[in-house]
Amino acid sequence: MALYDSDSSDDAEDFTTTDVLLGYASKEPTGDIISQLGGRPTWLDPSQPPSAALARCRICNDYMPLLLQLHGDLPEHFPGHGRRLYVFGCKRKTCRRKEGSIRAIRSVRLASSSRNAKSRRAQKSSTDSPSPVAAPLQNLGSSIFGVAPPSAGNGQTNPFSSPTSSNNNNPFSSSHYSTASGNPPISSASPESAAPGISDLPETFAEKVRLSSSPLTASTPKTSPEPWPSDTDLAQPYPSYHLDADYETLDQVSEQPLPATTMMDLDEPDGSTSTSAREDAETFESSIDKTFQRFADRLAQNPLQVLRYEFRGFPLLYSKTDTVGKLLASHQHHFAGPDKNGSNNKITTAPGAGSAAIGLPPCPSCGAGRVFELQLTPQTIAELEVDEVGLEGMEWGNVILGVCSADCGGEVGAVGYVEEWVGVQWEERGKL
């Protein structure tokens, strides 16, 4: 049975809302023309695609189809940064369960004003003048997804609405993609290319998440990119879906203690059966994978979710015994605290306020720490393979994306592409 602690004192509430934004696949337009599940990727600048090498499987070297494209601008935390995330996965059976068969890319482009803003911040920090009073953090949920907090009034907007939509508050309006190998950023743009101004940047899904650190500058070494192939040379794409989003809500569940009644067998010496039953119960309890049970219980409350998004949060682990689980589990902490409106009815699962230390390897491009941004759930497989014949499809239970906390790799007027960290928790037979 799932347990979700909450400090809420409102007995009238029969559910609680977390800081996690959930993405749902939809065949109907949601207002977001950028974020998508499956289909073909689109780029910040169509004339500046990434190196095709970033979309090749590291096992078979074939091009991989797109799993996810997410519009991920975070103007509150990375002003002037245009961001998208892409996740690719190999279809070949011989490549399954092997590192490098799922990769991710983060694309970033800087507006000229973002560089000027960084210079001004650097100059201001070098003076002894007192720091100005910080403005309250923007509600990322409202700005990215257009989803108002649970206590907000009417007038909620589509969380995945695109910048052209009348409701420009889509939580998935920006895309974030990362890859496992952590290659240096690849820029395929000419410096003459124009970059959008900060005022032109759409509000995104990621803006709903609280971020506490300032962006860092990073060098972006250039390499010769492999030309992006034509569609006829790419892998057959998965079906394309729009993305919709909303905050995760959970039923208030409390664990019921086991009955204290003890069964006695009168044919046995007093207490022998009681001891045997207790040993059987302990054996049964120890055989339960509590991490997976928590994973399954949490997903079951919102079973159609394909995406979980919480920038600088902590992923919901499928297992603590595999390579990824061992890497991250020791950094996991659970704590309840006030929600974005000050009410103690929102659950937060993260390694600590302002902390980026969740066990991920640092960014190889700039040395900054990596942070969790999103994860794909098994429902993604069900949506993408809806037309597949047979049972031999993707075999993962969790795809976790960790990205550079400094959002490095961007240049003014040029799109940079950085391969980010992907942690895949492969499906364990008999679990899903």
Side-chain angles (χ1 to χ4, degrees):
M1 183 173 292
L3 289 175
Y4 306 107
D5 296 332
S6 173
D7 292 335
S8 175
S9 58
D10 187 358
D11 295 335
E13 293 288 342
D14 58 356
F15 66 91
T16 188
T17 304
T18 76
D19 288 320
V20 178
L21 292 169
L22 303 182
Y24 299 91
S26 172
K27 281 297 185 180
E28 298 298 324
T30 60
D32 181 3
I33 61 174
I34 296 176
S35 300
Q36 65 187 59
L37 198 69
R40 299 283 193 194
T42 61
W43 317 111
L44 280 169
D45 185 338
S47 67
Q48 302 175 29
S51 170
L54 294 175
R56 288 187 181 274
C57 174
R58 292 189 178 277
I59 311 304
C60 67
N61 206 40
D62 283 351
Y63 294 121
M64 300 182 291
L66 180 72
L67 302 182
L68 173 71
Q69 172 177 301
L70 194 67
H71 184 191
D73 292 356
L74 292 171
E76 177 69 18
H77 309 284
F78 303 121
H81 289 215
R83 302 174 77 239
R84 291 189 190 179
L85 300 177
Y86 306 85
V87 180
F88 298 87
C90 187
K91 282 187 172 182
R92 283 183 176 268
K93 183 178 179 180
T94 54
C95 298
R96 293 172 194 160
R97 299 180 174 271
K98 297 179 181 178
E99 184 176 355
S101 61
I102 298 180
R103 303 174 67 182
I105 307 170
R106 173 176 53 85
S107 69
V108 59
R109 176 177 58 186
L110 306 186
S112 57
S113 52
S114 67
R115 175 174 292 179
N116 296 334
K118 290 180 180 180
S119 300
R120 288 193 297 269
R121 286 196 298 269
Q123 293 174 2
K124 182 176 291 187
S125 63
S126 63
T127 66
D128 296 330
S129 59
S131 301
V133 178
L137 288 177
Q138 181 179 359
N139 185 314
L140 293 182
S142 300
S143 57
I144 297 177
F145 290 97
V147 177
S151 60
N154 296 333
Q156 294 185 4
T157 56
N158 184 352
F160 291 100
S161 60
S162 69
T164 58
S165 171
S166 59
N167 296 326
N168 184 19
N169 289 321
N170 184 347
F172 285 115
S173 57
S174 23
S175 317
H176 301 72
Y177 291 89
S178 62
T179 54
S181 65
N183 288 346
I186 296 178
S187 174
S188 57
S190 59
E192 292 79 14
S193 300
I198 294 178
S199 61
D200 298 330
L201 292 174
E203 293 179 332
T204 69
F205 179 89
E207 295 175 53
K208 299 177 119 182
V209 183
R210 296 179 216 160
L211 305 181
S212 57
S213 66
S214 301
L216 307 175
T217 58
S219 60
T220 56
K222 296 182 179 180
T223 60
S224 299
E226 176 185 342
W228 190 261
S230 64
D231 287 351
T232 56
D233 294 327
L234 291 171
Q236 181 68 25
Y238 286 110
S240 180
Y241 296 87
H242 301 282
L243 285 178
D244 203 351
D246 201 355
Y247 281 110
E248 178 186 42
T249 58
L250 303 172
D251 294 334
Q252 296 283 15
V253 181
S254 59
E255 186 175 19
Q256 300 296 324
L258 294 175
T261 304
T262 302
M263 300 297 295
M264 300 290 291
D265 188 340
L266 299 179
D267 293 334
E268 297 291 338
D270 291 348
S272 61
T273 302
S274 176
T275 301
S276 176
R278 183 168 55 254
E279 291 176 350
D280 290 344
E282 291 174 352
T283 301
F284 174 76
E285 183 175 356
S286 64
S287 67
I288 297 176
D289 186 336
K290 295 182 179 179
T291 300
F292 174 75
Q293 190 61 52
R294 178 177 180 272
F295 178 87
D297 288 342
R298 190 75 169 261
L299 296 189
Q301 296 217 35
N302 298 277
L304 297 182
Q305 61 182 282
V306 298
L307 170 67
R308 299 176 61 83
Y309 185 97
E310 188 183 11
F311 190 79
R312 290 187 183 276
F314 198 91
L316 181 63
L317 295 179
Y318 177 89
S319 171
K320 288 185 179 179
T321 59
D322 62 4
T323 301
V324 174
K326 290 178 180 178
L327 177 67
L328 302 179
S330 61
H331 298 268
Q332 185 174 17
H333 302 279
H334 303 279
F335 63 92
D339 64 13
K340 298 178 179 68
N341 298 294
S343 301
N344 290 325
N345 65 344
K346 190 174 279 283
I347 296 175
T348 303
T349 302
S355 172
I358 66 169
L360 299 180
C363 174
S365 300
C366 69
R370 278 200 176 106
V371 296
F372 168 75
E373 185 150 358
L374 62 86
Q375 67 187 106
L376 296 176
T377 71
Q379 182 64 22
T380 299
I381 301 176
E383 301 288 358
L384 295 180
E385 296 185 345
V386 64
D387 297 326
E388 299 288 333
V389 178
L391 301 176
E392 295 184 352
M394 290 181 275
E395 298 180 350
W396 48 262
N398 213 0
V399 175
I400 300 170
L401 176 61
V403 301
C404 174
S405 62
D407 200 38
C408 73
E411 296 182 5
V412 174
V415 181
Y417 294 91
V418 182
E419 183 171 14
E420 292 283 16
W421 183 88
V422 170
V424 183
Q425 296 193 284
W426 302 104
E427 177 185 343
E428 297 180 19
R429 298 295 195 274
K431 280 192 173 182
L432 289 179

